[in-house]
Each structure stands twice: as C-alpha cells, then as structure tokens.
Amino acid sequence: MASSQPRKEELSGSSAHMCECRVTHNFFVRSIGMHFEYDGDDAEFQHRYAGQLVDGDGDALSSLAVAGILAEVREQRAERLQAPEESLARVQRIEQSYRRLHPEVYTIDPKAFLAESFLELVEALQGCQTSLRGVSSSLENLKSRGLLQEKRPGLWTFKVFTEAFCDLLETELANFAASGLPCTAPNTMNRHGVILAELGFYPGLLNPLVYEYVDVLAGQLLPDHTEGLDSYRAFTVLYDAAVDGDRDLALHYDNAEVTLNVNIGGSWAGGQVAFYGLATEEESDTPAEISLQRGHGVLHAGLDMHKALPITSGRRHNLVIWCRSSRVRNQLCPMCFRQPCVLPTCKYFDEGFTVLPCRLACEKHSETGCNPNSCHSDDDLYG
C-alpha cells in the first residue's frame, strides 16, 4: 500500500521551511489564556494590546502585569529562534547516548500494531469508488458495521492501535523519560510530552503510518482539507491531574490540514476534547465532546477549533499527528491566514511549505521595505 502523492522532500529536495509567522505569531501566555503577536517591537506590542489586557472584572491590567506578559512573550520568541539549533543538538545527543528498550516499536508491524478494524477501514476506503455516491455508500456501510463513527460532519472516530502497540510505545517513552536525556515541550501550549522525530520514530514507524494509511483516510473523510499528505509533525502530550501537570488546554486550532489524535494510555476522569467548528466559520454554541478509549483516535480538520476540558483525576496520554498538505498550505498559511513567506529551518521544525511557490521572507522584505525583524539569517535557524 503506498500513497500516490509525492512527498514534500520529493517536491523540494531536502530543504525545510517554516512560515515567518512562527517567530511573530501565536505566543500563548497561559496565565491569561491569550495568544499574542510580537515581532520584537515592544512599543508596537503595547500599542496593539493596550485595550485588550484586562482582568476578570474588565479593568485594565497594571503596567507591571503588562510588562510581565511582554517579558514572557519576548522569552518565547527568543526560544523559538533558538529551537531549531537546540533540536539538532538534542537529536545528536539522543543518537549517541540513548539505548532503546524496545527497538521493534520503531518499525511498523501492521498486524501487531494496527487494529484489525483500522486495517479494514483503510482498505475499504482505498478501494471505494471515487464518485460522491460511491464514497457515501461506503461510509454508511462502515458506520453501520461499527468501524467508523461520525460525531458530527468532519469529526471522525475509529480504533487505530492495538493494546500491544500502546503498551510498547508507552514503555519505550517511559524508558526515555527515565534516561535523563534532554527533551522539550511538544508544542507552544502543552508542557509535557515528546517530539517523536527527535527520538527516531519517523522513518520506520510514522512515515508508513501517515503516508500509507492516514493519507487514505484523510483523502476520503476530509477531502476539502487535503490534496495529499506529504509532511507531518508528531508528538505526544500528557495530561495529569497531579501538581504541575497539564490539566487542560485552551481553545485553539492546529498547524495542520488534518489532525489524528489517538489515546495511547492512562486512566482518568474528565478531560474530554470539545470541538467548536472551523476557525473560518462561526463558532458552535454546542460543542461536540469526545473521550477516547485506549487505541482509539479522532480525525479532524486542523482548523477545527478545540480545547481539552480539565482532567479531574488520573492521567491521559495521547499521540498527536499534525498532517500537512503542501498543495493546500502553500496557498495560505493556516496559522496567520496569509500567503506564506518562509524562513529556512532544520528538518525537525519543517512546517511543510515548499519553495517555490512560497517566497523566502528575506526576498519579500527586500522588495517591500517592510519591517525586517521577522527575517533572520540561516545561522539563526539552522544552528
């Protein structure tokens, strides 16, 4: 089974790029639950948010509080600028020092790792007729057999992994955590989890999972959001009711065309994921709430607004894959909703854009004479 779409590396060589908004947009300050834009200009930041920074009673925050928020955003921006270099250093150290507990979990074994119902689901959708009537008939058949659930239009759940695979993966990740080797937060909002590319899970395990299986599902279940998956970012997130654990997650959308979110372990109460509809449409007043059993996943558009409700006890461990389609995102960055101008980066921070058709940010700035603070040298981003 193989994807008919060319991989991103086949389209653009080995280069990796991220939209310049990566270092100017979506800085999340947990204490007030807000995202901010910041390009290094303190005065512009204070002017932009002067009327928005208020407390629970609607009163303006003190100048000291605003200064604290700006300091946190400034620190986040500095971290993002250094992140690619630091990622390369972590990967090198992991490759040199980490001893894998279960080497077999790094190479996909479809019959042992993937649920029989998942394999049947992919096979059925891959073989169904391409006409709307044919696809609709196949979907109804799959739903009637319990292989697929449609919680609402564009929100699909199904079993993905076997218990045996979840056990292997959780044990391997626990072994890595106990090693004391460095890791970083998986994204800008979750604090606990790992970036799976840095541990070497891509070539043998996740590449075939995304390109041979998830791509089929995305093309049939969310055809308006993908023109073939050709890159992705995969990580784990851990929600824990213990002190200093991530208990919830604020409303957001993903840097992805399609997201697959699978529970791989834990026992917990609360913690449902609530979906509110696409960021480009009016928010739903009645969200769809989903709680996944171990091995089960939800497939949704990256632009589907969602949040994790508070976990009240226990822990919940999930594998998240942000799946990307360069033919879609090259037209409009899903994070800043602009035609992307891109910066070179290392492969661990690649966001799936290609040059061409995307322009390099430095070319845009030289043509327009706009603020160059968002444009950085290759040394800043490669390390």
Side-chain angles (χ1 to χ4, degrees):
M1 183 184 300
S3 171
S4 61
Q5 296 293 340
R7 307 278 199 276
K8 177 182 174 291
E9 58 267 26
E10 295 171 349
L11 297 172
S12 60
S14 59
S15 58
H17 295 90
M18 61 183 180
C19 182
E20 65 175 344
C21 75
R22 169 72 185 173
V23 293
T24 60
H25 286 57
N26 294 303
F27 298 104
F28 182 66
V29 177
R30 181 177 296 271
S31 61
I32 58 173
M34 284 182 61
H35 286 87
F36 295 91
E37 296 180 21
Y38 176 65
D39 66 0
D41 187 331
D42 290 2
E44 196 280 334
F45 177 89
Q46 292 175 332
H47 175 74
R48 176 192 292 265
Y49 295 106
Q52 300 181 40
L53 297 176
V54 296
D55 60 22
D57 297 323
D59 297 324
L61 295 180
S62 68
S63 58
L64 184 62
V66 173
I69 292 169
L70 176 56
E72 183 172 346
V73 170
R74 190 188 297 121
E75 181 180 359
Q76 287 188 34
R77 184 169 186 267
E79 290 173 351
R80 291 192 193 184
L81 290 171
Q82 292 300 317
E85 179 180 357
E86 293 173 351
S87 180
L88 291 170
R90 280 193 304 274
V91 170
Q92 184 177 31
R93 187 173 173 188
I94 291 169
E95 289 176 345
Q96 293 173 346
S97 304
Y98 181 57
R99 183 175 180 180
R100 295 175 175 178
L101 180 64
H102 295 298
E104 67 273 22
V105 80
Y106 291 81
T107 302
I108 197 166
D109 181 341
K111 290 186 178 180
F113 292 177
L114 302 179
E116 183 178 349
S117 58
F118 179 78
L119 294 172
E120 190 174 350
L121 174 63
V122 173
E123 183 178 5
L125 289 177
Q126 188 175 47
C128 74
Q129 300 177 21
T130 57
S131 67
L132 289 176
R133 179 175 296 180
V135 172
S136 177
S137 176
S138 295
L139 293 179
E140 291 304 316
N141 177 262
L142 292 167
K143 288 191 285 186
S144 69
R145 294 163 55 199
L147 300 181
L148 181 67
Q149 293 80 44
E150 186 176 19
K151 299 300 183 179
R152 64 146 169 75
L155 196 59
W156 304 90
T157 63
F158 42 84
K159 189 172 184 181
V160 181
F161 298 134
T162 62
E163 286 281 338
F165 172 75
C166 293
D167 287 340
L168 279 175
L169 183 58
E170 279 214 294
T171 305
E172 182 67 31
L173 294 176
N175 184 65
F176 174 76
S179 72
L181 288 167
C183 63
T184 189
N187 56 57
T188 60
M189 297 180 71
N190 291 95
R191 295 175 298 163
H192 302 287
V194 295
I195 300 171
L196 293 175
E198 295 186 359
L199 274 64
F201 279 102
Y202 275 28
L205 178 69
L206 294 173
N207 280 0
L209 176 64
V210 172
Y211 298 135
E212 297 178 18
Y213 297 93
V214 180
D215 186 36
V216 174
L217 300 181
Q220 296 288 22
L221 300 179
L222 297 167
D224 293 339
H225 299 278
T226 176
E227 294 184 26
L229 304 179
D230 50 18
S231 67
Y232 63 95
R233 181 174 178 82
F235 52 89
T236 62
V237 293
L238 180 64
Y239 295 91
D240 198 325
V243 176
D244 198 40
D246 283 340
R247 298 189 179 192
D248 56 17
L249 195 64
L251 189 66
H252 67 285
Y253 56 90
D254 299 335
N255 188 355
E257 276 62 68
V258 173
T259 295
L260 178 64
N261 184 343
V262 188
N263 176 255
I264 58 172
S267 176
W268 68 94
Q272 299 91 339
V273 182
F275 290 86
Y276 291 82
L278 299 181
T280 52
E281 299 176 357
E282 186 175 348
E283 184 178 309
S284 172
D285 293 329
T286 55
E289 295 185 6
I290 290 178
S291 184
L292 298 170
Q293 297 177 1
R294 194 183 197 204
H296 290 247
V298 56
L299 188 77
H300 63 87
L303 284 175
D304 205 327
M305 298 288 291
H306 56 286
K307 66 181 180 182
L309 301 178
I311 188 171
T312 55
S313 66
R315 58 183 286 277
R316 177 166 70 84
H317 199 188
N318 281 45
L319 165 61
V320 180
I321 309 177
W322 287 350
C323 303
R324 292 158 173 172
S325 176
S326 63
R327 294 175 180 174
V328 175
R329 64 180 35 227
N330 281 345
Q331 306 305 313
L332 195 73
C333 172
M335 301 309 290
C336 64
F337 295 104
R338 299 185 301 203
Q339 185 176 5
C341 283
V342 298
L343 300 167
T345 187
C346 77
K347 66 180 181 179
Y348 301 106
F349 280 82
D350 180 32
E351 291 187 336
F353 300 99
T354 57
V355 180
L356 301 166
C358 298
R359 289 192 300 167
L360 292 171
C362 56
E363 295 174 353
K364 181 195 76 171
H365 296 146
S366 65
E367 292 174 5
T368 64
C370 62
N371 186 347
N373 284 333
S374 302
C375 189
H376 308 276
S377 70
D378 290 0
D379 291 339
D380 290 327
L381 299 161
Y382 281 118

